[in-house]
Amino acid sequence: MNVEVALLEPQVEQELRTALTASNEYAYERFSRVDVFHRDVEDGIGSVLAYALSDGVWVIVDGTLVDKTTAAELARDVMGRILAS
């Protein structure tokens, strides 16, 4: 499991959010002020990808042998910790 955090300019964050929302590959959930997108990656070994976006912060979670719900929860949890600090 990998977790990465990036800082985004407002315009870049909006472009990413728009692209992810328009994609039919990602499931979308909103938690308070955090947008979470997640999907399975078709690679034959059960990989997933999850993104959390809020206030110029982008949390990226990717992993193998874990379900997309767990990856999404981890992305949301990491984002919550960042926003609380």
Side-chain angles (χ1 to χ4, degrees):
M1 177 86 52
N2 296 306
V3 178
E4 299 175 51
V5 177
L7 300 177
L8 302 174
E9 295 292 327
Q11 180 181 350
V12 174
E13 180 182 3
Q14 187 55 46
E15 289 173 8
L16 178 59
R17 182 178 281 110
T18 299
L20 290 168
T21 302
S23 171
N24 63 357
E25 302 230 354
Y26 287 86
Y28 168 76
E29 299 174 63
R30 179 143 178 100
F31 301 94
S32 186
R33 20 182 267 240
V34 178
D35 292 326
V36 179
F37 301 87
H38 52 88
R39 74 181 198 98
D40 292 316
V41 177
E42 299 300 326
D43 61 2
I45 59 172
S47 296
V48 296
L49 186 58
Y51 300 141
L53 293 164
S54 183
D55 297 331
V57 179
W58 180 18
V59 175
I60 306 156
V61 174
D62 67 270
T64 304
L65 302 175
V66 62
D67 65 32
K68 63 185 175 186
T69 302
T70 301
E73 289 172 356
L74 177 58
R76 187 180 73 229
D77 183 54
V78 169
M79 180 65 78
R81 291 171 188 263
I82 291 169
L83 296 176
S85 62

